């Protein structure tokens, strides 16, 4: 907890001074060439950030899709979010589902609410995944803009296991994919067919971003999701679908619209990859699933 002292009627927060000549992390990249921070444990002080965002009265929307059998993930997702996601801030959970009756009743902390959004499902799991862009886009201008300041858009087959707070917030942010943080460009699984709107040439690309965790202000998320949805629709007209679906279009977007912040692998980890030395916290981890059984 932050250390406060009252001095002559003024509340002051005391914390160690940043050390210009002693950077907290030297084992990982902490800033991009376009000066966007990459968020790693040790690089920030939550007390300073929380005080700043509480003063602004920030409201955060967390969107998640639970279509068909994926409703089984909702309980753990929300329960662990109550423990670790933006604790102390105002949070709206937006759960898009075709099975509203399967969404459990969960008691939430003060200042937090769950909004169930009844939507149609699609037959193919790829289409379910991709259509998230359209559904987030549509509600951004119809609803989210009136209710929250930032949107955080994530996969539902996940659980929080450590703090995810306001350090992630920025105009538009993406997350390093846990499978490719050490890879070179050529190994990124970008869409490589020039016919696709998601095409990225072999000699371009900064990072391989994960489809399962992005966000930003409502306006920036609107622009991102609108771009991705339109690119998908253009490809659909030409009977082509990008190799990794929404993730491929997201990577295309971030190449030419640079994110203003990037979340490290702490924010999207899969324990089947083990625990590398540089990974000090595992904040949001995949829940193991049987792909065949859950998608069909
Ligand atoms: N999803 C869903 N129902 C489905 C398939 C996918 O709700 O039948 C949503 C769900 O939010 C899921 C996301 O789409 O987390 C992405 O799919 P998935 O997690 O299966 O992709 P992976 O993480 O395995 O690449
Ligand atoms: Mn997933």
């Amino acid at each position: 907890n932050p250390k406060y002292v009252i001095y002559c009627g003024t509340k002051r927060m005391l914390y160690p001074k940043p050390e210009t000549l002693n950077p907290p992390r030297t084992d990982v990249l902490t800033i991009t060439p376009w000066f966007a921070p990459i968020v790693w444990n040790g690089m920030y002080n939550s007390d300073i950030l929380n005080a700043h965002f509480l003063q602004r009265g920030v409201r955060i929307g967390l969107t998640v899709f639970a279509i068909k059998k994926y409703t089984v993930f909702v309980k753990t997702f929300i329960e662990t979010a109550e423990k670790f996601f933006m604790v102390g801030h105002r949070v709206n959970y937006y759960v898009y589902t075709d099975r509203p009756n399967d969404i459990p009743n969960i008691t939430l902390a003060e200042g937090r609410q769950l909004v169930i959004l009844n939507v149609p499902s699609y037959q193919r799991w790829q289409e379910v995944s991709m259509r998230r862009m359209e559904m987030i886009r549509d509600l951004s201008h119809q609803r989210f803009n009136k209710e929250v300041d930032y949107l955080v858009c994530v996969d539902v087959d996940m659980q929080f296991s450590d703090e995810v707070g306001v350090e992630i917030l920025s105009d538009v942010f993406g997350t390093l994919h846990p499978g490719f943080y050490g890879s070179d460009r050529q190994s990124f699984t970008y869409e490589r067919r020039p016919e696709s709107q998601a095409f990225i040439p072999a000699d371009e690309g900064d990072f391989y971003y994960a489809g399962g965790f992005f966000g930003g202000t409502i306006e920036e998320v609107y622009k991102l999701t609108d771009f991705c949805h339109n690119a998908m629709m253009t490809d659909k007209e030409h009977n082509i679908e990008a190799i990794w679906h929404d993730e491929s279009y997201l990577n295309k977007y971030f190449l030419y619209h640079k994110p203003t912040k990037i979340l490290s692998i702490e924010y999207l980890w899969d324990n089947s990859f083990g625990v590398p030395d540089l990974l000090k916290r595992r904040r949001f981890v995949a829940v193991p699933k049987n792909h065949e059984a859950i998608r069909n």
Side-chain angles (χ1 to χ4, degrees):
N1 275 346
K3 186 180 178 194
Y4 285 104
V5 296
I6 307 291
Y7 183 77
C8 294
T10 312
K11 192 176 169 193
R12 305 187 305 128
M13 191 197 332
L14 299 184
Y15 55 84
K17 144 185 130 54
E19 294 290 336
T20 312
L21 303 180
N22 187 208
R25 295 290 293 258
T26 52
D27 57 337
V28 287
L29 186 69
T30 59
I31 192 154
T32 69
W34 57 93
F35 271 14
I38 306 177
V39 186
W40 294 95
N41 186 55
M43 291 304 299
Y44 62 90
N45 180 327
S46 312
D47 299 334
I48 305 175
L49 283 163
N50 279 327
H52 169 67
F53 279 92
L54 280 173
Q55 194 170 51
R56 284 172 51 184
V58 71
R59 300 164 303 172
I60 302 127
L62 181 60
T63 70
V64 86
F65 287 72
I67 308 290
K68 295 186 273 190
K69 294 181 189 168
Y70 280 62
T71 50
V72 299
F73 296 109
V74 172
K75 188 169 191 287
T76 300
F77 179 89
I78 305 273
E79 281 177 354
T80 58
E82 284 292 292
K83 276 197 199 132
F84 295 116
F85 182 76
M86 303 286 174
V87 173
H89 297 276
R90 291 156 70 184
V91 172
N92 283 5
Y93 298 100
Y94 296 108
V95 179
Y96 288 81
T97 186
D98 59 331
R99 299 179 180 179
N101 296 328
D102 290 0
I103 305 302
N105 232 325
I106 300 168
T107 311
L108 305 176
E110 204 192 317
R112 304 169 79 99
Q113 53 176 330
L114 197 153
V115 180
I116 297 173
L117 303 163
N118 198 178
V119 292
S121 70
Y122 289 90
Q123 203 177 357
R124 297 170 53 244
W125 65 267
Q126 296 92 333
E127 184 94 12
V128 171
S129 186
M130 289 199 294
R131 288 284 175 169
R132 292 184 290 177
M133 292 295 185
E134 179 182 30
M135 296 190 212
I136 294 169
R137 178 197 68 181
D138 290 347
L139 285 193
S140 290
H141 276 181
Q142 292 164 16
R143 174 163 197 165
F144 302 147
N145 56 348
K146 300 185 185 80
E147 301 182 354
V148 291
D149 305 302
Y150 290 94
L151 277 182
V152 178
C153 309
V154 298
D155 268 16
V156 75
D157 56 338
M158 301 291 298
Q159 61 181 14
F160 293 87
S161 52
D162 205 339
E163 294 163 356
V164 173
V166 294
E167 74 279 359
I168 71 171
L169 301 178
S170 189
D171 278 2
V172 59
F173 60 87
T175 304
L176 301 181
H177 191 294
F180 300 93
Y181 66 93
S183 305
D184 52 35
R185 230 175 221 166
Q186 283 73 21
S187 315
F188 292 160
T189 53
Y190 293 148
E191 174 55 58
R192 300 300 189 184
R193 292 167 297 176
E195 301 75 41
S196 170
Q197 297 295 311
F199 170 64
I200 296 178
D203 55 357
E204 291 187 56
D206 305 300
F207 303 100
Y208 190 75
Y209 301 98
F213 200 151
F214 63 87
T217 60
I218 308 304
E219 205 43 43
E220 288 301 321
V221 170
Y222 178 88
K223 286 194 262 177
L224 178 159
T225 50
D226 186 52
F227 171 95
C228 291
H229 178 63
N230 291 339
M232 285 170 199
M233 289 301 107
T234 303
D235 274 3
K236 206 180 180 63
E237 280 166 28
H238 298 111
N239 290 311
I240 189 166
E241 185 175 277
I243 178 167
W244 288 109
H245 326 112
D246 40 304
E247 185 168 84
S248 304
Y249 300 97
L250 180 70
N251 272 279
K252 179 67 176 264
Y253 184 77
F254 278 148
L255 175 57
Y256 300 122
H257 310 80
K258 302 294 194 210
T260 55
K261 195 176 264 186
I262 296 178
L263 311 185
S264 71
I265 53 173
E266 295 170 10
Y267 293 86
L268 189 33
W269 190 245
D270 187 324
N271 285 325
S272 68
F273 295 145
V275 188
D277 244 13
L278 52 81
L279 184 60
K280 307 298 182 198
R281 316 269 293 259
R282 282 172 286 165
R283 305 169 188 276
F284 191 49
V285 298
V287 174
K289 64 180 188 289
N290 178 331
H291 289 73
E292 268 305 300
I294 198 94
R295 285 173 175 166
N296 300 302

